PDB file of all heavy atoms in Angstrom:
ATOM      1  N   GLU A  30     -10.281  -6.759  -1.479  1.00 94.00           N
ATOM      2  CA  GLU A  30     -10.344  -6.509  -2.953  1.00 94.00           C
ATOM      3  C   GLU A  30      -9.371  -7.309  -3.705  1.00 94.00           C
ATOM      4  O   GLU A  30      -9.719  -7.892  -4.806  1.00 94.00           O
ATOM      5  CB  GLU A  30     -10.069  -5.022  -3.120  1.00 94.00           C
ATOM      6  CG  GLU A  30     -10.440  -4.529  -4.545  1.00 94.00           C
ATOM      7  CD  GLU A  30      -9.295  -4.775  -5.585  1.00 94.00           C
ATOM      8  OE1 GLU A  30      -8.124  -4.817  -5.182  1.00 94.00           O
ATOM      9  OE2 GLU A  30      -9.585  -5.043  -6.753  1.00 94.00           O
ATOM     10  N   SER A  31      -8.150  -7.549  -3.141  1.00 95.00           N
ATOM     11  CA  SER A  31      -7.154  -8.397  -3.823  1.00 95.00           C
ATOM     12  C   SER A  31      -7.660  -9.856  -4.026  1.00 95.00           C
ATOM     13  O   SER A  31      -7.550 -10.509  -5.011  1.00 95.00           O
ATOM     14  CB  SER A  31      -5.776  -8.401  -3.018  1.00 95.00           C
ATOM     15  OG  SER A  31      -5.255  -7.155  -3.060  1.00 95.00           O
ATOM     16  N   LEU A  32      -8.239 -10.400  -2.887  1.00 95.00           N
ATOM     17  CA  LEU A  32      -8.725 -11.725  -2.898  1.00 95.00           C
ATOM     18  C   LEU A  32      -9.831 -12.015  -3.930  1.00 95.00           C
ATOM     19  O   LEU A  32      -9.865 -13.168  -4.442  1.00 95.00           O
ATOM     20  CB  LEU A  32      -9.186 -12.100  -1.493  1.00 95.00           C
ATOM     21  CG  LEU A  32      -8.113 -12.433  -0.452  1.00 95.00           C
ATOM     22  CD1 LEU A  32      -8.741 -12.670   0.921  1.00 95.00           C
ATOM     23  CD2 LEU A  32      -7.156 -13.563  -0.835  1.00 95.00           C
ATOM     24  N   VAL A  33     -10.740 -11.053  -4.065  1.00 95.00           N
ATOM     25  CA  VAL A  33     -11.859 -11.354  -5.006  1.00 95.00           C
ATOM     26  C   VAL A  33     -11.665 -10.737  -6.429  1.00 95.00           C
ATOM     27  O   VAL A  33     -12.615 -10.811  -7.221  1.00 95.00           O
ATOM     28  CB  VAL A  33     -13.173 -10.842  -4.381  1.00 95.00           C
ATOM     29  CG1 VAL A  33     -13.353 -11.423  -3.058  1.00 95.00           C
ATOM     30  CG2 VAL A  33     -13.151  -9.262  -4.254  1.00 95.00           C
ATOM     31  N   ARG A  34     -10.476 -10.294  -6.648  1.00 94.00           N
ATOM     32  CA  ARG A  34     -10.244  -9.566  -8.004  1.00 94.00           C
ATOM     33  C   ARG A  34     -10.574 -10.368  -9.212  1.00 94.00           C
ATOM     34  O   ARG A  34     -11.047  -9.864 -10.230  1.00 94.00           O
ATOM     35  CB  ARG A  34      -8.838  -9.085  -8.018  1.00 94.00           C
ATOM     36  CG  ARG A  34      -8.551  -7.930  -9.017  1.00 94.00           C
ATOM     37  CD  ARG A  34      -7.107  -7.469  -8.838  1.00 94.00           C
ATOM     38  NE  ARG A  34      -6.934  -6.766  -7.607  1.00 94.00           N
ATOM     39  CZ  ARG A  34      -5.732  -6.574  -6.998  1.00 94.00           C
ATOM     40  NH1 ARG A  34      -4.641  -7.095  -7.498  1.00 94.00           N
ATOM     41  NH2 ARG A  34      -5.595  -5.971  -5.917  1.00 94.00           N
ATOM     42  N   GLU A  35     -10.362 -11.682  -9.114  1.00 91.00           N
ATOM     43  CA  GLU A  35     -10.583 -12.562 -10.264  1.00 91.00           C
ATOM     44  C   GLU A  35     -12.062 -12.973 -10.455  1.00 91.00           C
ATOM     45  O   GLU A  35     -12.454 -13.101 -11.581  1.00 91.00           O
ATOM     46  CB  GLU A  35      -9.791 -13.932 -10.076  1.00 91.00           C
ATOM     47  CG  GLU A  35      -8.218 -13.643 -10.053  1.00 91.00           C
ATOM     48  CD  GLU A  35      -7.753 -13.083 -11.347  1.00 91.00           C
ATOM     49  OE1 GLU A  35      -8.002 -13.715 -12.363  1.00 91.00           O
ATOM     50  OE2 GLU A  35      -7.054 -12.055 -11.254  1.00 91.00           O
ATOM     51  N   HIS A  36     -12.827 -13.028  -9.461  1.00 92.00           N
ATOM     52  CA  HIS A  36     -14.235 -13.534  -9.605  1.00 92.00           C
ATOM     53  C   HIS A  36     -15.333 -12.562  -9.072  1.00 92.00           C
ATOM     54  O   HIS A  36     -16.407 -12.663  -9.525  1.00 92.00           O
ATOM     55  CB  HIS A  36     -14.397 -14.896  -8.914  1.00 92.00           C
ATOM     56  CG  HIS A  36     -14.040 -14.870  -7.503  1.00 92.00           C
ATOM     57  ND1 HIS A  36     -14.704 -14.229  -6.535  1.00 92.00           N
ATOM     58  CD2 HIS A  36     -12.995 -15.576  -6.843  1.00 92.00           C
ATOM     59  CE1 HIS A  36     -14.134 -14.446  -5.368  1.00 92.00           C
ATOM     60  NE2 HIS A  36     -13.144 -15.279  -5.471  1.00 92.00           N
ATOM     61  N   HIS A  37     -14.967 -11.627  -8.238  1.00 94.00           N
ATOM     62  CA  HIS A  37     -15.940 -10.589  -7.713  1.00 94.00           C
ATOM     63  C   HIS A  37     -17.168 -11.297  -7.008  1.00 94.00           C
ATOM     64  O   HIS A  37     -18.152 -10.652  -6.904  1.00 94.00           O
ATOM     65  CB  HIS A  37     -16.353  -9.658  -8.805  1.00 94.00           C
ATOM     66  CG  HIS A  37     -15.369  -8.599  -9.030  1.00 94.00           C
ATOM     67  ND1 HIS A  37     -15.664  -7.540  -9.827  1.00 94.00           N
ATOM     68  CD2 HIS A  37     -14.084  -8.477  -8.685  1.00 94.00           C
ATOM     69  CE1 HIS A  37     -14.568  -6.732  -9.976  1.00 94.00           C
ATOM     70  NE2 HIS A  37     -13.617  -7.246  -9.251  1.00 94.00           N
ATOM     71  N   ASN A  38     -16.975 -12.505  -6.581  1.00 95.00           N
ATOM     72  CA  ASN A  38     -18.072 -13.195  -5.791  1.00 95.00           C
ATOM     73  C   ASN A  38     -17.948 -12.657  -4.333  1.00 95.00           C
ATOM     74  O   ASN A  38     -17.463 -13.387  -3.382  1.00 95.00           O
ATOM     75  CB  ASN A  38     -18.032 -14.650  -5.865  1.00 95.00           C
ATOM     76  CG  ASN A  38     -18.390 -15.212  -7.260  1.00 95.00           C
ATOM     77  OD1 ASN A  38     -19.190 -14.507  -7.980  1.00 95.00           O
ATOM     78  ND2 ASN A  38     -17.881 -16.372  -7.634  1.00 95.00           N
ATOM     79  N   LEU A  39     -18.320 -11.399  -4.118  1.00 96.00           N
ATOM     80  CA  LEU A  39     -18.191 -10.828  -2.820  1.00 96.00           C
ATOM     81  C   LEU A  39     -19.488 -10.274  -2.323  1.00 96.00           C
ATOM     82  O   LEU A  39     -20.173  -9.504  -2.947  1.00 96.00           O
ATOM     83  CB  LEU A  39     -17.169  -9.661  -2.859  1.00 96.00           C
ATOM     84  CG  LEU A  39     -17.014  -8.754  -1.648  1.00 96.00           C
ATOM     85  CD1 LEU A  39     -16.425  -9.609  -0.500  1.00 96.00           C
ATOM     86  CD2 LEU A  39     -16.160  -7.522  -1.948  1.00 96.00           C
ATOM     87  N   CYS A  40     -19.914 -10.763  -1.141  1.00 96.00           N
ATOM     88  CA  CYS A  40     -21.147 -10.295  -0.498  1.00 96.00           C
ATOM     89  C   CYS A  40     -20.719  -9.507   0.748  1.00 96.00           C
ATOM     90  O   CYS A  40     -20.070 -10.130   1.711  1.00 96.00           O
ATOM     91  CB  CYS A  40     -22.050 -11.413  -0.100  1.00 96.00           C
ATOM     92  SG  CYS A  40     -23.476 -10.826   0.720  1.00 96.00           S
ATOM     93  N   VAL A  41     -20.993  -8.212   0.858  1.00 96.00           N
ATOM     94  CA  VAL A  41     -20.704  -7.397   2.065  1.00 96.00           C
ATOM     95  C   VAL A  41     -22.037  -7.043   2.720  1.00 96.00           C
ATOM     96  O   VAL A  41     -22.972  -6.689   2.011  1.00 96.00           O
ATOM     97  CB  VAL A  41     -19.795  -6.207   1.760  1.00 96.00           C
ATOM     98  CG1 VAL A  41     -18.503  -6.690   1.119  1.00 96.00           C
ATOM     99  CG2 VAL A  41     -20.498  -5.178   0.869  1.00 96.00           C
ATOM    100  N   VAL A  42     -21.977  -7.141   4.028  1.00 95.00           N
ATOM    101  CA  VAL A  42     -23.219  -6.786   4.742  1.00 95.00           C
ATOM    102  C   VAL A  42     -22.856  -5.690   5.780  1.00 95.00           C
ATOM    103  O   VAL A  42     -21.870  -5.783   6.518  1.00 95.00           O
ATOM    104  CB  VAL A  42     -23.749  -7.977   5.478  1.00 95.00           C
ATOM    105  CG1 VAL A  42     -25.021  -7.674   6.308  1.00 95.00           C
ATOM    106  CG2 VAL A  42     -23.974  -9.174   4.499  1.00 95.00           C
ATOM    107  N   GLY A  43     -23.632  -4.652   5.843  1.00 94.00           N
ATOM    108  CA  GLY A  43     -23.348  -3.565   6.798  1.00 94.00           C
ATOM    109  C   GLY A  43     -24.342  -2.468   6.670  1.00 94.00           C
ATOM    110  O   GLY A  43     -25.372  -2.570   5.901  1.00 94.00           O
ATOM    111  N   ASP A  44     -24.048  -1.421   7.411  1.00 94.00           N
ATOM    112  CA  ASP A  44     -24.998  -0.232   7.486  1.00 94.00           C
ATOM    113  C   ASP A  44     -24.222   1.022   7.561  1.00 94.00           C
ATOM    114  O   ASP A  44     -23.562   1.241   8.701  1.00 94.00           O
ATOM    115  CB  ASP A  44     -25.887  -0.438   8.642  1.00 94.00           C
ATOM    116  CG  ASP A  44     -27.008   0.684   8.675  1.00 94.00           C
ATOM    117  OD1 ASP A  44     -27.098   1.488   7.701  1.00 94.00           O
ATOM    118  OD2 ASP A  44     -27.771   0.802   9.733  1.00 94.00           O
ATOM    119  N   ASP A  45     -24.180   1.812   6.552  1.00 93.00           N
ATOM    120  CA  ASP A  45     -23.363   3.093   6.581  1.00 93.00           C
ATOM    121  C   ASP A  45     -23.867   3.963   7.765  1.00 93.00           C
ATOM    122  O   ASP A  45     -23.186   4.804   8.386  1.00 93.00           O
ATOM    123  CB  ASP A  45     -23.397   3.724   5.274  1.00 93.00           C
ATOM    124  CG  ASP A  45     -24.820   3.955   4.655  1.00 93.00           C
ATOM    125  OD1 ASP A  45     -25.480   2.906   4.432  1.00 93.00           O
ATOM    126  OD2 ASP A  45     -25.252   5.068   4.481  1.00 93.00           O
ATOM    127  N   ASP A  46     -25.248   3.808   8.089  1.00 93.00           N
ATOM    128  CA  ASP A  46     -25.777   4.662   9.139  1.00 93.00           C
ATOM    129  C   ASP A  46     -25.219   4.247  10.546  1.00 93.00           C
ATOM    130  O   ASP A  46     -25.447   4.928  11.489  1.00 93.00           O
ATOM    131  CB  ASP A  46     -27.320   4.614   9.110  1.00 93.00           C
ATOM    132  CG  ASP A  46     -27.913   5.264   7.964  1.00 93.00           C
ATOM    133  OD1 ASP A  46     -27.216   6.187   7.420  1.00 93.00           O
ATOM    134  OD2 ASP A  46     -29.012   4.914   7.540  1.00 93.00           O
ATOM    135  N   GLN A  47     -24.543   3.098  10.516  1.00 93.00           N
ATOM    136  CA  GLN A  47     -23.997   2.696  11.872  1.00 93.00           C
ATOM    137  C   GLN A  47     -22.464   2.730  11.808  1.00 93.00           C
ATOM    138  O   GLN A  47     -21.760   2.045  12.666  1.00 93.00           O
ATOM    139  CB  GLN A  47     -24.535   1.308  12.265  1.00 93.00           C
ATOM    140  CG  GLN A  47     -26.000   1.397  12.474  1.00 93.00           C
ATOM    141  CD  GLN A  47     -26.509   0.016  13.096  1.00 93.00           C
ATOM    142  OE1 GLN A  47     -26.308  -0.308  14.218  1.00 93.00           O
ATOM    143  NE2 GLN A  47     -27.178  -0.732  12.155  1.00 93.00           N
ATOM    144  N   SER A  48     -21.832   3.507  10.966  1.00 92.00           N
ATOM    145  CA  SER A  48     -20.370   3.533  10.870  1.00 92.00           C
ATOM    146  C   SER A  48     -19.955   4.653  12.005  1.00 92.00           C
ATOM    147  O   SER A  48     -20.107   5.757  11.751  1.00 92.00           O
ATOM    148  CB  SER A  48     -19.957   4.044   9.513  1.00 92.00           C
ATOM    149  OG  SER A  48     -18.622   4.233   9.404  1.00 92.00           O
ATOM    150  N   ILE A  49     -19.422   4.159  13.118  1.00 91.00           N
ATOM    151  CA  ILE A  49     -19.120   4.967  14.237  1.00 91.00           C
ATOM    152  C   ILE A  49     -17.650   4.925  14.775  1.00 91.00           C
ATOM    153  O   ILE A  49     -17.378   5.315  15.815  1.00 91.00           O
ATOM    154  CB  ILE A  49     -20.097   4.752  15.352  1.00 91.00           C
ATOM    155  CG1 ILE A  49     -19.985   3.376  15.881  1.00 91.00           C
ATOM    156  CG2 ILE A  49     -21.436   5.209  15.001  1.00 91.00           C
ATOM    157  CD1 ILE A  49     -20.811   3.036  17.113  1.00 91.00           C
ATOM    158  N   TYR A  50     -16.825   4.254  13.932  1.00 87.00           N
ATOM    159  CA  TYR A  50     -15.452   4.003  14.401  1.00 87.00           C
ATOM    160  C   TYR A  50     -14.388   4.700  13.549  1.00 87.00           C
ATOM    161  O   TYR A  50     -13.262   4.211  13.406  1.00 87.00           O
ATOM    162  CB  TYR A  50     -15.188   2.464  14.397  1.00 87.00           C
ATOM    163  CG  TYR A  50     -16.009   1.699  15.438  1.00 87.00           C
ATOM    164  CD1 TYR A  50     -16.932   0.830  15.066  1.00 87.00           C
ATOM    165  CD2 TYR A  50     -15.819   1.999  16.817  1.00 87.00           C
ATOM    166  CE1 TYR A  50     -17.724   0.113  15.897  1.00 87.00           C
ATOM    167  CE2 TYR A  50     -16.626   1.319  17.674  1.00 87.00           C
ATOM    168  CZ  TYR A  50     -17.615   0.352  17.225  1.00 87.00           C
ATOM    169  OH  TYR A  50     -18.351  -0.229  18.209  1.00 87.00           O
ATOM    170  N   GLY A  51     -14.743   5.872  12.957  1.00 85.00           N
ATOM    171  CA  GLY A  51     -13.742   6.591  12.232  1.00 85.00           C
ATOM    172  C   GLY A  51     -12.439   6.930  13.060  1.00 85.00           C
ATOM    173  O   GLY A  51     -11.392   6.973  12.402  1.00 85.00           O
ATOM    174  N   TRP A  52     -12.614   7.135  14.336  1.00 78.00           N
ATOM    175  CA  TRP A  52     -11.449   7.449  15.161  1.00 78.00           C
ATOM    176  C   TRP A  52     -10.486   6.375  15.297  1.00 78.00           C
ATOM    177  O   TRP A  52      -9.338   6.610  15.652  1.00 78.00           O
ATOM    178  CB  TRP A  52     -11.958   7.881  16.554  1.00 78.00           C
ATOM    179  CG  TRP A  52     -12.978   6.976  17.151  1.00 78.00           C
ATOM    180  CD1 TRP A  52     -14.321   6.946  16.927  1.00 78.00           C
ATOM    181  CD2 TRP A  52     -12.673   5.899  18.086  1.00 78.00           C
ATOM    182  NE1 TRP A  52     -14.907   5.848  17.606  1.00 78.00           N
ATOM    183  CE2 TRP A  52     -13.963   5.217  18.376  1.00 78.00           C
ATOM    184  CE3 TRP A  52     -11.531   5.458  18.688  1.00 78.00           C
ATOM    185  CZ2 TRP A  52     -14.015   4.134  19.158  1.00 78.00           C
ATOM    186  CZ3 TRP A  52     -11.678   4.338  19.516  1.00 78.00           C
ATOM    187  CH2 TRP A  52     -12.819   3.717  19.747  1.00 78.00           C
ATOM    188  N   ARG A  53     -10.891   5.127  14.926  1.00 75.00           N
ATOM    189  CA  ARG A  53      -9.826   4.104  14.951  1.00 75.00           C
ATOM    190  C   ARG A  53      -9.654   3.550  13.606  1.00 75.00           C
ATOM    191  O   ARG A  53      -9.154   2.409  13.401  1.00 75.00           O
ATOM    192  CB  ARG A  53     -10.260   3.002  15.990  1.00 75.00           C
ATOM    193  CG  ARG A  53     -11.436   2.133  15.608  1.00 75.00           C
ATOM    194  CD  ARG A  53     -11.710   1.096  16.777  1.00 75.00           C
ATOM    195  NE  ARG A  53     -12.690   0.152  16.339  1.00 75.00           N
ATOM    196  CZ  ARG A  53     -13.409  -0.512  17.208  1.00 75.00           C
ATOM    197  NH1 ARG A  53     -13.270  -0.317  18.532  1.00 75.00           N
ATOM    198  NH2 ARG A  53     -14.213  -1.484  16.780  1.00 75.00           N
ATOM    199  N   GLY A  54      -9.855   4.271  12.559  1.00 78.00           N
ATOM    200  CA  GLY A  54      -9.374   3.979  11.240  1.00 78.00           C
ATOM    201  C   GLY A  54     -10.473   3.459  10.236  1.00 78.00           C
ATOM    202  O   GLY A  54     -10.189   3.322   9.034  1.00 78.00           O
ATOM    203  N   ALA A  55     -11.691   3.147  10.717  1.00 84.00           N
ATOM    204  CA  ALA A  55     -12.708   2.700   9.818  1.00 84.00           C
ATOM    205  C   ALA A  55     -13.108   3.854   8.914  1.00 84.00           C
ATOM    206  O   ALA A  55     -13.156   4.932   9.172  1.00 84.00           O
ATOM    207  CB  ALA A  55     -13.947   2.253  10.644  1.00 84.00           C
ATOM    208  N   GLU A  56     -13.384   3.378   7.621  1.00 88.00           N
ATOM    209  CA  GLU A  56     -13.694   4.376   6.554  1.00 88.00           C
ATOM    210  C   GLU A  56     -14.999   4.035   5.954  1.00 88.00           C
ATOM    211  O   GLU A  56     -15.121   3.080   5.247  1.00 88.00           O
ATOM    212  CB  GLU A  56     -12.529   4.430   5.523  1.00 88.00           C
ATOM    213  CG  GLU A  56     -11.243   4.803   6.050  1.00 88.00           C
ATOM    214  CD  GLU A  56     -10.116   4.796   4.975  1.00 88.00           C
ATOM    215  OE1 GLU A  56     -10.127   5.652   4.058  1.00 88.00           O
ATOM    216  OE2 GLU A  56      -9.246   3.889   5.100  1.00 88.00           O
ATOM    217  N   VAL A  57     -16.003   4.922   6.236  1.00 90.00           N
ATOM    218  CA  VAL A  57     -17.357   4.747   5.605  1.00 90.00           C
ATOM    219  C   VAL A  57     -17.402   4.801   4.181  1.00 90.00           C
ATOM    220  O   VAL A  57     -18.318   4.186   3.530  1.00 90.00           O
ATOM    221  CB  VAL A  57     -18.348   5.742   6.294  1.00 90.00           C
ATOM    222  CG1 VAL A  57     -18.107   7.127   5.717  1.00 90.00           C
ATOM    223  CG2 VAL A  57     -19.806   5.317   6.095  1.00 90.00           C
ATOM    224  N   LYS A  58     -16.398   5.376   3.496  1.00 92.00           N
ATOM    225  CA  LYS A  58     -16.348   5.468   2.048  1.00 92.00           C
ATOM    226  C   LYS A  58     -16.286   4.162   1.375  1.00 92.00           C
ATOM    227  O   LYS A  58     -16.775   4.002   0.155  1.00 92.00           O
ATOM    228  CB  LYS A  58     -15.170   6.339   1.651  1.00 92.00           C
ATOM    229  CG  LYS A  58     -13.727   5.639   1.755  1.00 92.00           C
ATOM    230  CD  LYS A  58     -12.605   6.510   1.360  1.00 92.00           C
ATOM    231  CE  LYS A  58     -11.290   5.828   1.476  1.00 92.00           C
ATOM    232  NZ  LYS A  58     -10.164   6.620   1.049  1.00 92.00           N
ATOM    233  N   HIS A  59     -15.896   3.024   2.066  1.00 92.00           N
ATOM    234  CA  HIS A  59     -15.834   1.688   1.449  1.00 92.00           C
ATOM    235  C   HIS A  59     -17.263   1.181   1.187  1.00 92.00           C
ATOM    236  O   HIS A  59     -17.448   0.636   0.105  1.00 92.00           O
ATOM    237  CB  HIS A  59     -15.032   0.700   2.321  1.00 92.00           C
ATOM    238  CG  HIS A  59     -13.619   1.114   2.481  1.00 92.00           C
ATOM    239  ND1 HIS A  59     -12.994   1.000   3.792  1.00 92.00           N
ATOM    240  CD2 HIS A  59     -12.761   1.682   1.663  1.00 92.00           C
ATOM    241  CE1 HIS A  59     -11.751   1.447   3.616  1.00 92.00           C
ATOM    242  NE2 HIS A  59     -11.633   1.948   2.416  1.00 92.00           N
ATOM    243  N   ILE A  60     -18.204   1.428   2.116  1.00 94.00           N
ATOM    244  CA  ILE A  60     -19.498   0.916   1.908  1.00 94.00           C
ATOM    245  C   ILE A  60     -20.244   1.876   1.036  1.00 94.00           C
ATOM    246  O   ILE A  60     -21.122   1.436   0.221  1.00 94.00           O
ATOM    247  CB  ILE A  60     -20.281   0.637   3.269  1.00 94.00           C
ATOM    248  CG1 ILE A  60     -21.548  -0.178   3.010  1.00 94.00           C
ATOM    249  CG2 ILE A  60     -20.564   1.914   3.969  1.00 94.00           C
ATOM    250  CD1 ILE A  60     -22.123  -0.717   4.256  1.00 94.00           C
ATOM    251  N   LEU A  61     -19.923   3.155   1.103  1.00 94.00           N
ATOM    252  CA  LEU A  61     -20.700   4.089   0.246  1.00 94.00           C
ATOM    253  C   LEU A  61     -20.250   3.992  -1.200  1.00 94.00           C
ATOM    254  O   LEU A  61     -20.997   4.161  -2.112  1.00 94.00           O
ATOM    255  CB  LEU A  61     -20.359   5.567   0.746  1.00 94.00           C
ATOM    256  CG  LEU A  61     -20.898   5.973   2.116  1.00 94.00           C
ATOM    257  CD1 LEU A  61     -20.481   7.395   2.504  1.00 94.00           C
ATOM    258  CD2 LEU A  61     -22.507   5.940   2.081  1.00 94.00           C
ATOM    259  N   GLY A  62     -18.921   3.587  -1.426  1.00 93.00           N
ATOM    260  CA  GLY A  62     -18.445   3.541  -2.818  1.00 93.00           C
ATOM    261  C   GLY A  62     -18.477   2.071  -3.400  1.00 93.00           C
ATOM    262  O   GLY A  62     -17.673   1.802  -4.410  1.00 93.00           O
TER     263      GLY A  62
END
């Protein structure tokens, strides 16, 4: 978020339905929000 703050040219690719690493710190809220 810090790196793209000036231009917001950010493309993220993923699938919230395959978020399965909560136990090691991954947070599905980032893709949901």
Side-chain angles (χ1 to χ4, degrees):
E30 191 279 325
S31 297
L32 283 176
V33 303
R34 201 173 287 156
E35 296 298 306
H36 54 68
H37 281 190
N38 289 333
L39 173 66
C40 175
V41 302
V42 183
D44 182 9
D45 50 300
D46 290 334
Q47 295 186 74
S48 179
I49 59 172
Y50 295 115
W52 49 277
R53 71 181 188 203
E56 298 177 69
V57 70
K58 69 181 182 182
H59 299 140
I60 193 166
L61 292 176

